[in-house]
Amino acid sequence: MLSEKIISATVGKNPDYSDSLTRTKIGSVTGLVGIGLNLSLTAFKAFIGLVTGSLSVFADAMNNLTDTVSSLVSLVGIRMAAKAKDEDHPYGHGRIEYVTTLIVSLGIIFVGASLLKTSVEGIIDPQPLKTNFVGMVVLVLSIGVKYWMYGFYKYIGNKIKSTTFKAVSIDSLGDVLVTSLVLLSYILSNFLSLPVDALGGSLVSIFILKSGYDLVKETISDIVGKGPNEEFVAAIDQLFKDRPYIKSTHDLQVYDFGHGNSFATIDALVDKNSDLLSLHRTFTEIEHEVLDNFGILLTIHMDVDIIDSQEDQKLCQRLDIFCQKDQAAISYHDPAVLSRDGKKHVLVHLVVDGDQIISLEEEKEKLEDLTEFLDQDFKGAEYNIILDRDYKDQKMAKKEKV
């Protein structure tokens, strides 16, 4: 397989893909390969498009030009993302990859909009199209090259876990479909009087716009911060399952700072009679398993299943009633009534159905409902209530305190 040979020539056989230096070398070579191939395709297609006057072929050439820029930005991005941690960036520079992916996506949208404008003008004022055998051969070769690049980018993206190269692989697969459409319009223009070429250019432009939009949406989601995927959540659940002294877990949070810089936190409810040394060893084992299997540094916070004051017990009783009567309230955890600075403070995490509590207004209303309900027993207290959203199907959920 050519992709494997390129990697072997770059970093040798059986490389450690998690190593930052290895990852940077592979990413750099991949970017250079993409630049070379896309520049070649751009030159050939632009020449054929100008000679024949084909808008769809020229539009496809411009699409390949954006791919060249994408490869260049990917190359720069992966090298910048590999910079070591420093005083101002203690979590590294990995998120630069997300920024470069966003730049690529916005560039695709800009070119797509420009080509759509040109194609619409071609539909309004169609121009004669000259076709030739060489042009069709170039398009066929382009389809083959782009399909190989799709596989190459996908292979590299999966190996080094690069969001940028995974995005570029999707773009390359789109190019295969787009160029196939261009080839079809190029052939049909010989038999139809309709402005097939301009229509084909319009479809190409729309596809480019759609690809750019999808990439922007996905990249912004990465930058804003996505929740843990189902596979990771299931794996974490399995690691804690049937462990001595651990009763349940909650509040799994993942913080992604780019490749090699991901962190997670989770709360574990433990038996009040736990052996601390054994429990500490269990926590250490779980944290190392997560690091080895997912490359994520997990920190476990311990909660103890003990309600040791009458105030805490009263709070739990009120929360039990609230969860029973409120449709959106599922459960709660970390309840506590504290006295500080001569004031009473009520603390609790209320777990709600995320499909019911959607807007900030609904969140505020739910907090006010619970505050008003608790105020019957804790009037004048200061409340620190945190809403945790659960997005699983809650119709059959058992409402119980954690």
Side-chain angles (χ1 to χ4, degrees):
M1 186 177 180
L2 184 56
S3 300
E4 294 177 348
K5 291 182 179 179
I6 292 175
I7 290 181
S8 297
T10 304
V11 293
K13 295 182 178 180
N14 303 316
D16 179 8
Y17 293 104
S18 63
D19 178 69
S20 295
L21 292 177
T22 299
R23 185 175 185 271
T24 303
K25 288 180 181 179
I26 294 174
S28 298
V29 170
T30 302
L32 290 172
V33 170
I35 291 171
L37 290 176
N38 281 315
L39 273 178
S40 300
L41 291 174
T42 299
F44 280 122
K45 290 181 184 178
F47 176 74
I48 297 300
L50 291 172
V51 169
T52 62
S54 170
L55 283 174
S56 57
V57 173
F58 192 75
D60 204 30
M62 293 302 99
N63 186 28
N64 288 140
L65 182 60
T66 65
D67 294 339
T68 304
V69 177
S70 299
S71 297
L72 178 61
V73 172
S74 301
L75 172 61
V76 173
I78 201 165
R79 294 189 68 85
M80 291 182 66
K83 289 176 61 179
K85 301 175 183 178
D86 54 41
E87 184 178 357
D88 294 328
H89 306 93
Y91 299 107
H93 300 77
R95 283 182 174 172
I96 289 179
E97 273 198 71
Y98 299 148
V99 177
T100 56
T101 304
L102 184 60
I103 293 172
V104 169
S105 306
L106 293 174
I108 291 173
I109 289 177
F110 175 77
V111 171
S114 300
L115 294 178
L116 180 60
K117 177 178 177 293
T118 302
S119 298
V120 170
E121 291 173 349
I123 294 174
I124 297 173
D125 183 21
Q127 300 295 322
L129 174 65
K130 295 177 289 183
T131 61
N132 58 48
F133 178 74
V134 176
M136 287 188 285
V137 170
V138 169
L139 291 176
V140 171
L141 289 175
S142 174
I143 292 171
V145 171
K146 272 297 179 178
Y147 187 77
W148 179 85
M149 291 177 69
Y150 155 71
F152 179 56
Y153 283 136
K154 182 179 179 181
Y155 179 79
I156 297 298
N158 288 332
K159 286 293 184 181
I160 67 175
K161 293 181 171 58
S162 168
T163 57
T164 301
F165 285 125
K166 288 179 181 179
V168 175
S169 73
I170 295 173
D171 188 40
S172 295
L173 180 60
D175 291 340
V176 172
L177 301 175
V178 168
T179 305
S180 299
L181 177 62
V182 171
L183 178 61
L184 180 62
S185 67
Y186 196 70
I187 295 172
L188 291 178
S189 62
N190 291 299
F191 307 100
L192 300 174
S193 58
L194 295 172
V196 178
D197 178 58
L199 291 170
S202 298
L203 292 176
V204 169
S205 302
I206 292 172
F207 191 93
I208 294 172
L209 287 170
K210 177 64 166 57
S211 299
Y213 169 78
D214 289 342
L215 290 175
V216 166
K217 183 179 178 181
E218 179 68 21
T219 305
I220 289 178
S221 181
D222 286 326
I223 293 174
V224 171
K226 295 189 294 188
N229 59 49
E230 293 182 3
E231 178 187 359
F232 181 70
V233 173
I236 294 297
D237 287 343
Q238 191 62 37
L239 284 175
F240 280 93
K241 187 178 180 181
D242 298 329
R243 295 277 188 169
Y245 306 116
I246 299 178
K247 303 183 71 174
S248 63
T249 59
H250 55 269
D251 280 0
L252 173 62
Q253 305 286 338
V254 179
Y255 313 93
D256 179 17
F257 292 92
H259 178 77
N261 286 287
S262 294
F263 304 85
T265 59
I266 194 170
D267 289 5
L269 183 70
V270 303
D271 191 288
K272 61 179 178 293
N273 298 316
S274 300
D275 180 83
L276 288 180
L277 291 179
S278 298
L279 192 60
H280 178 267
R281 182 173 183 82
T282 298
F283 281 6
T284 302
E285 289 175 356
I286 292 174
E287 289 170 347
H288 277 275
E289 282 193 57
V290 173
L291 183 62
D292 292 340
N293 294 332
F294 298 97
I296 295 176
L297 188 61
L298 176 67
T299 299
I300 305 172
H301 170 73
M302 182 178 70
D303 291 335
V304 182
D305 67 333
I306 183 171
I307 304 298
D308 58 355
S309 73
Q310 291 184 349
E311 291 282 84
D312 289 351
Q313 292 176 7
K314 183 168 63 174
L315 174 60
C316 290
Q317 291 172 359
R318 297 301 295 170
L319 291 169
D320 285 337
I321 296 172
F322 185 82
C323 288
Q324 290 172 7
K325 79 181 192 67
D326 190 285
Q327 186 178 7
I330 300 166
S331 62
Y332 62 90
H333 57 84
D334 296 329
V337 181
L338 307 177
S339 294
R340 296 199 308 264
D341 304 324
K343 296 181 180 179
K344 186 175 293 184
H345 298 262
V346 176
L347 292 74
V348 66
H349 286 241
L350 179 69
V351 183
V352 297
D353 186 347
D355 293 324
Q356 294 190 45
I357 307 299
I358 300 174
S359 66
L360 292 176
E361 290 77 13
E362 291 171 330
E363 179 178 311
K364 182 180 179 181
E365 182 180 347
K366 189 59 58 183
L367 289 173
E368 291 174 348
D369 288 345
L370 181 55
T371 299
E372 182 180 348
F373 183 78
L374 294 178
D375 220 27
Q376 298 175 29
D377 287 277
F378 301 96
K379 192 170 184 63
E382 291 192 5
Y383 296 95
N384 188 336
I385 303 171
I386 299 175
L387 289 189
D388 295 336
R389 287 177 171 81
D390 194 325
Y391 294 94
K392 299 175 183 177
D393 184 5
Q394 301 301 335
K395 292 181 180 179
M396 301 299 294
K398 181 180 179 181
K399 296 181 178 180
E400 59 182 3
K401 67 177 182 286
V402 179

